[in-house]
Amino acid sequence: MSYDSAVASLFALGHELAHTPSNKFDLAHMRVLLKAMDHPERAFPAVLIAGTNGKGSTAATLASILRASGLKTGLYTSPHLIRINERIRVNREQISDDDFARLHGEVDRVADRLVAQGDLPWHPSFFEMMTGIAFAHFARERVEIAVLEVGMGGRLDATNVVEPLVSVIADISLDHQKFLGNSVGEIAREKVGIIRPGGVVVTLPQQPEANDVIGNTILDLGARAVSAVQYVPPVSPGSGEYLVRSTKKVGDPPQKPWTAKDAEGDAKVAENGSLGRFYRYSLQVMGKQILVESPLVGRHQLRNLALAVAAAEELAKLCFMGITPESMERGIRETRWPGRFQVLPAREGWPETVLDVAHNPAGAWALRSALSEHYDNRRLIFVFGAMRDKAISEMTEILFPLAERVIATRPENPRSASPEEIQRAGSRTGSEIECVAEIAAALDQARTASGPDTVIVVTGSIYLVGEAMRLLGVQV
C-alpha cells in the first residue's frame, strides 16, 4: 500500500471522536491488538502526559530536553497540523512516508486477522491504529525513551497501555464533555487514569475540583506526587518582564552574560519562521542555576515548561544520568512546537500574523492573555473557525471583544461549524463578524483589511491553523 493509500485508509475509519465512547474507549481491544503485534509498547520506557490544555507543549519540551541529553527520544502527539507524520517523531524527525505506509500495512493486516478470527469485534479506530503504528515505529527505531501525549481523557485512552516511568497531569478544564463528563471533577477522574500504584506523578495546583481528584487518586494509589511549582517563575503581575526579543536565531547558543541591552535588538526570523520572541529567566535545577530561554510564548507556557522540567528531573533520578542542568537548558531553548502563539513576521503585502490553536475556553483565555500582553495597543483582525462540538459561544465571548474585525470561516472537517453558526454564536459580543467560507479567501480578506499596525490572529481550531500554515507556506 502506498503512503497516500495508507493515509486515506486511516481517514476512512472516521474521525477519532466520531465513534461512540464504547467503540473508541476500550483498552481490552488495544491490548489484543498489541499482543498480536508482539507488544511493541514494552520495547521502550515511556512518560505519559494527560490534561486538557498544555499537554502537547509539555510533551514537546520534555522530548527536546531528553534529546538534548543524548537520548534517542520518541514523541507521539495529536492531532497534526498539516501532515499525519507529525504525530510520530524520533529525535525530532517525522516518520518517513515509506515507514508510515509499511507499518500501517502491517498493523492493518493484524487488525483484519483479529476481526476475522473473532478476537476483535470491529476494526481498531483511527487513534488506536495511529497508536499501534507509533509504538511499532518506536520499537523498531529502538528509542531509549518515548514521550506520549494522551489523545483524550486518560483512563481508557489507547496510549494508557504502557507502564509509564512518570505520569504528568497538565491543566484540566472543560472539553470533550460528551466523552469525558460534564464537570471538571468528572473529566479529572478520566485524566488521572494514567497514574499507577506507587508511581510518580508530576503536576501543578489547578482548579479545586481537579486538585481534589488528583490528590485523592495519588493517596489511594500510594503514588508519589511531585509538584512543579518551584519551576514556575512569578508571573503575576507582569510576566512580560521575562519576554525579550531575540537578536539571534532561536536555537543558537545562549548569550551570557546578558543585559537589558540584549533585549532591545530587532526581532529576527527564527528557524520555524516565527519572530524571535522568547521567555528568558533564571531557574534553579538539580542544584544548579540555568538560564531558561523558551520560544513558547504565553504565561500558560511557563506552567507547561515547569511540568517538563520537573518530569525530566524525576527521570534523571530514576535512571537517565545524561539529563543534566546543561542539557535541560539546551533542550528548552531548542523546543519546537508550531502553531502555539506562533508569530509570523510582517512581509511585503502581509501583516504580522499570530497562529494559535486555542480550541476551547481555557485555550481562548490563554490566547487572550498572550494577546493582551504582546499587542495591547495594536489593531487585531481575527480569522476564526471551530468545530461544532466546541463551546463556540463561550470562546467568542472571550476572544472577539479584542478584535476590531472577525472573519468567520470553516476548516475542511465534517465536524466544523459553518461561518453562519459562528456568526450567530458570537452575536452577543457586538463584534463585526463576516462570513467567508473558504480559508484562503478569509485570509485574503483579512490581509486586504489590514493596515500598517494590524495583527492578524488565526485561531479557534487546530485544523484551521494547519490549513492556514499550509497556505502561508509555514514549515512544521
Side-chain angles (χ1 to χ4, degrees), residues 167-366:
S167 300
V168 181
I169 308 292
D171 289 344
I172 297 172
S173 59
L174 292 176
D175 201 8
H176 298 308
Q177 289 96 312
K178 175 183 175 182
F179 298 90
L180 303 179
N182 293 314
S183 70
V184 170
E186 289 177 346
I187 293 172
R189 277 187 279 278
E190 294 297 321
K191 305 289 185 185
V192 298
I194 69 167
I195 299 174
R196 297 293 188 266
V200 178
V201 187
V202 175
T203 190
L204 281 167
Q206 43 186 294
Q207 296 186 58
E209 282 185 82
N211 286 338
D212 288 345
V213 173
I214 295 169
N216 288 331
T217 302
I218 289 170
L219 289 173
D220 291 344
L221 295 178
R224 180 166 63 87
V226 176
S227 173
V229 167
Q230 63 181 313
Y231 302 123
V232 181
V235 295
S236 182
S239 67
E241 65 184 280
Y242 301 115
L243 185 71
V244 299
R245 284 181 179 270
S246 179
T247 57
K248 59 184 181 57
K249 290 185 177 181
V250 176
D252 287 347
Q255 299 166 328
K256 289 183 179 179
W258 68 279
T259 67
K261 188 175 181 180
D262 295 325
E264 295 172 0
D266 292 333
K268 291 193 176 181
V269 180
E271 291 172 1
N272 63 358
S274 297
L275 287 177
R277 290 188 179 93
F278 59 94
Y279 278 123
R280 176 189 277 165
Y281 53 91
S282 294
L283 204 60
Q284 195 76 13
V285 175
M286 300 173 68
K288 188 172 183 178
Q289 185 168 290
I290 67 171
L291 180 65
V292 170
E293 290 184 323
S294 173
L296 301 185
V297 175
R299 296 186 186 188
H300 59 293
Q301 294 291 5
L302 300 176
R303 290 174 58 85
N304 301 330
L305 192 152
L307 290 170
V309 169
E313 184 166 12
E314 288 306 310
L315 290 171
K317 292 176 183 176
L318 287 172
C319 51
F320 296 100
M321 304 304 293
I323 301 172
T324 64
E326 292 77 14
S327 68
M328 286 198 198
E329 184 177 83
R330 186 168 62 256
I332 292 167
R333 192 172 64 247
E334 294 174 351
T335 300
R336 299 290 178 271
W337 195 227
R340 281 72 181 177
F341 207 80
Q342 183 172 357
V343 183
L344 308 181
R347 62 180 191 269
E348 185 176 354
W350 196 267
E352 190 169 333
T353 302
V354 174
L355 305 169
D356 192 87
V357 298
H359 62 279
N360 56 32
W365 278 118

Side-chain angles (χ1 to χ4, degrees), residues 117-129:
Q117 294 172 178
D119 295 322
L120 284 178
W122 46 64
H123 194 282
S125 71
F126 175 97
F127 191 71
E128 288 167 334
M129 287 289 293

Side-chain angles (χ1 to χ4, degrees), residues 24-186:
K24 176 176 168 56
F25 297 139
D26 193 329
L27 285 187
H29 297 165
M30 191 66 196
R31 290 190 174 107
V32 168
L33 176 65
L34 292 173
K35 180 180 179 182
M37 293 170 57
D38 296 326
H39 289 294
E41 81 283 6
R42 297 179 182 176
F44 50 85
V47 176
L48 268 179
I49 303 177
T52 306
N53 291 89
K55 57 187 176 179
S57 298
T58 303
T61 304
L62 177 58
S64 186
I65 290 172
L66 297 175
R67 174 179 173 273
S69 302
L71 296 166
K72 191 173 186 180
T73 304
L75 175 63
Y76 179 49
T77 59
S78 62
H80 58 275
L81 285 163
I82 299 176
R83 302 185 82 234
I84 202 168
N85 308 52
E86 298 164 31
R87 298 175 179 233
I88 305 171
R89 302 174 187 249
V90 174
N91 279 356
R92 202 186 286 170
E93 293 295 322
Q94 298 177 19
I95 184 173
S96 70
D97 290 359
D98 288 344
D99 286 344
F100 187 93
R102 181 170 60 255
L103 289 174
H104 170 270
E106 292 177 12
V107 178
D108 196 46
R109 286 190 292 274
V110 170
D112 286 343
R113 186 182 77 243
L114 293 171
V115 172
Q117 294 172 178
D119 295 322
L120 284 178
W122 46 64
H123 194 282
S125 71
F126 175 97
F127 191 71
E128 288 167 334
M129 287 289 293
M130 281 299 308
T131 304
I133 293 169
F135 289 170
H137 184 60
F138 293 159
R140 293 190 183 187
E141 287 294 312
R142 297 182 179 177
V143 300
E144 295 171 271
I145 188 166
V147 179
L148 310 176
E149 178 193 0
V150 171
M152 184 172 65
R155 182 174 63 93
L156 296 176
D157 189 84
T159 59
N160 200 30
V161 294
V162 303
E163 289 301 320
L165 292 177
V166 176
S167 300
V168 181
I169 308 292
D171 289 344
I172 297 172
S173 59
L174 292 176
D175 201 8
H176 298 308
Q177 289 96 312
K178 175 183 175 182
F179 298 90
L180 303 179
N182 293 314
S183 70
V184 170
E186 289 177 346

Side-chain angles (χ1 to χ4, degrees), residues 383-386 409 411 439 458-469:
V383 176
F384 184 90
T409 189
I439 294 175
V458 181
T459 190
S461 165
I462 194 168
Y463 302 101
L464 169 63
V465 171
E467 179 64 12
M469 292 174 76

